[in-house]
Amino acid sequence: MGSVSGATPEAIVEALQDFLQATLRHANGDTTPVRPSHRIPFRWPPHAISYDFHVLPSDWTGKAALELYGDRFEVGIARTASGVFGRLEGVWNEAKGESEEEILRLLAEGAEPFFARQFAIAHCLGKTARFEGTLRDLTEADLVKLLYCPDRDVAHDAQTEIEKHASTGIFTDALTLILKDRTHPHRRSAQWCVLDMYEDLPTFCKTKAQETEAILAIRDLIFEADDDYARTIYKAGVVLGGHICTHEAADALITCLKGPSKFGRRSAIHAVFHLAEWLPSRRGEIVTALKNVVSDDPEPILQHFAASIARDVDAGSVEHMTEPVFADES
């Protein structure tokens, strides 16, 4: 990673562009986004059941083997008064049963989350063999690609690795490119990860030009949004109004109050409430813009939402109503 790999920001961007183009070709040009599932944290190894029954190291005298996904795995066997215990070596899961046959079946079933994660990483990176390393072993470009992994916990862990090197600035251009992506089916969860990192935008951006480009990319993401999958558009507003909080961010959010996307307008209405807290000099402008939403927005629930937020901003309130849910959202 980093200086060891010798990667440059330009090389990471180029690799990401190739990845996005290959995905688009594979999808025959279909750019429909996928609604991501919730993140399920991967915790491995699972609890060792042998510990509950006080199985001693000296009890593991038996040996067996399992063939899984084309590989042979050694299995340790312990036969005790409490039953038969098995341990899948190298995978670190255990099982308890009445026979060796049952143990082998249970071990194979119990190892599925481990292998599913390995294959999820491999598939996202365009490989067929399961991924047996750690994310720390990957190149910067591969970590960026993994933000698109359908397994959102893999994407989260890739995000964590990227954040460790945020101050190098090597990832910034590629991350902003993800915010501009309108083609990958799993772009919403990838964009959520980027927005989560960009809550601390100055750490990632080494120049004012990079900051401006990131803010404009977030603005356009909100302005053009066709959905709010993974609450990505909502988060985009929060990042501009509650974390970046600059006059550039204010201009972007006020623009989005008049945008074509109802999801984007909802996000901006919520976000300007927090923006007014951080930029009180813009409060009057924000209230005026919200009143324009009340009179002009085609969505009645957004008119009501904007009216409520305008009153709260004008009064200097620290609380606001919960953002509404559209009828076509579930």
Side-chain angles (χ1 to χ4, degrees):
M1 279 277 303
S3 60
V4 175
S5 73
T8 64
E10 294 79 11
I12 299 171
V13 167
E14 183 178 358
L16 177 59
Q17 289 171 330
D18 290 344
F19 170 78
L20 294 176
Q21 290 167 5
T23 302
L24 186 60
R25 287 195 301 270
H26 182 74
N28 295 317
D30 184 5
T31 62
T32 305
V34 170
R35 175 176 290 188
S37 58
H38 294 294
R39 177 193 166 201
I40 301 175
F42 179 75
R43 296 186 175 92
W44 201 266
H47 177 68
I49 193 171
S50 64
Y51 179 84
D52 297 335
F53 290 88
H54 308 290
V55 178
L56 301 174
S58 58
D59 292 330
W60 296 93
T61 58
K63 294 291 181 183
L66 264 177
E67 294 283 341
L68 296 170
Y69 298 104
D71 289 316
R72 177 185 172 87
F73 293 88
E74 298 297 323
V75 176
I77 301 292
R79 300 179 184 276
T80 74
S82 300
V84 182
F85 295 82
R87 177 185 292 157
L88 192 58
E89 305 294 348
V91 180
W92 312 288
N93 69 316
E94 294 185 357
K96 175 182 179 296
E98 298 301 319
S99 67
E100 184 174 305
E101 290 74 17
E102 182 184 11
I103 287 296
L104 295 178
R105 176 179 60 81
L106 292 173
L107 286 173
E109 292 174 357
E112 275 305 300
F114 178 83
F115 292 118
R117 180 180 171 94
Q118 290 186 326
F119 280 115
I121 294 171
H123 180 74
C124 188
L125 298 179
K127 304 179 186 302
T128 55
R130 62 190 178 89
F131 176 74
E132 299 184 58
T134 69
L135 297 194
R136 293 188 301 275
D137 302 327
L138 293 174
T139 66
E140 291 88 346
D142 280 348
L143 285 174
V144 169
K145 294 172 191 176
L146 282 184
L147 296 178
Y148 285 92
C149 187
D151 183 332
R152 294 187 70 184
D153 191 66
V154 170
H156 171 270
D157 288 349
Q159 174 187 334
T160 299
E161 288 299 315
I162 290 170
E163 286 175 321
K164 294 176 183 177
H165 305 274
S167 61
T168 66
I170 196 170
F171 289 102
T172 308
D173 294 342
L175 298 180
T176 298
L177 178 59
I178 289 175
L179 295 178
K180 298 177 181 179
D181 176 23
R182 301 294 185 266
T183 63
H184 197 287
H186 297 290
R187 60 186 176 270
R188 286 294 181 246
S189 53
Q191 289 163 344
W192 193 99
C193 289
V194 173
L195 290 165
D196 200 47
M197 289 185 271
Y198 276 10
E199 287 182 358
D200 187 16
L201 188 63
T203 298
F204 283 88
C205 293
K206 302 293 101 179
T207 67
K208 183 68 171 69
Q210 282 185 319
E211 285 194 14
T212 296
E213 186 177 11
I215 289 168
L216 294 179
I218 299 172
R219 179 201 65 187
D220 292 346
L221 181 64
I222 296 171
F223 195 85
E224 300 168 5
D226 292 325
D227 60 79
D228 197 10
Y229 293 166
R231 298 287 276 156
T232 297
I233 308 308
Y234 169 84
K235 188 171 184 68
V238 170
V239 171
L240 284 180
H243 293 275
I244 298 177
C245 311
T246 62
H247 287 288
E248 274 188 304
D251 294 340
L253 283 174
I254 290 171
T255 295
C256 290
L257 289 172
K258 301 173 288 186
S261 166
K262 65 180 182 180
F263 305 103
R265 297 196 304 276
R266 178 177 64 184
S267 173
I269 292 167
H270 166 252
V272 294
F273 173 88
H274 299 290
L275 185 69
E277 296 178 297
W278 293 104
L279 288 179
S281 63
R282 304 289 293 263
R283 182 175 294 156
E285 181 184 0
I286 288 169
V287 171
T288 297
L290 287 168
K291 288 180 177 178
N292 289 336
V293 175
V294 175
S295 60
D296 298 338
D297 200 282
E299 297 286 342
I301 60 174
L302 291 186
Q303 295 174 10
H304 176 67
F305 185 37
S308 176
I309 295 294
R311 288 192 297 269
D312 292 337
V313 170
D314 202 27
S317 175
V318 297
E319 300 289 342
H320 62 79
M321 73 172 286
T322 302
E323 63 279 358
V325 176
F326 296 115
D328 55 354
E329 292 181 301
S330 58

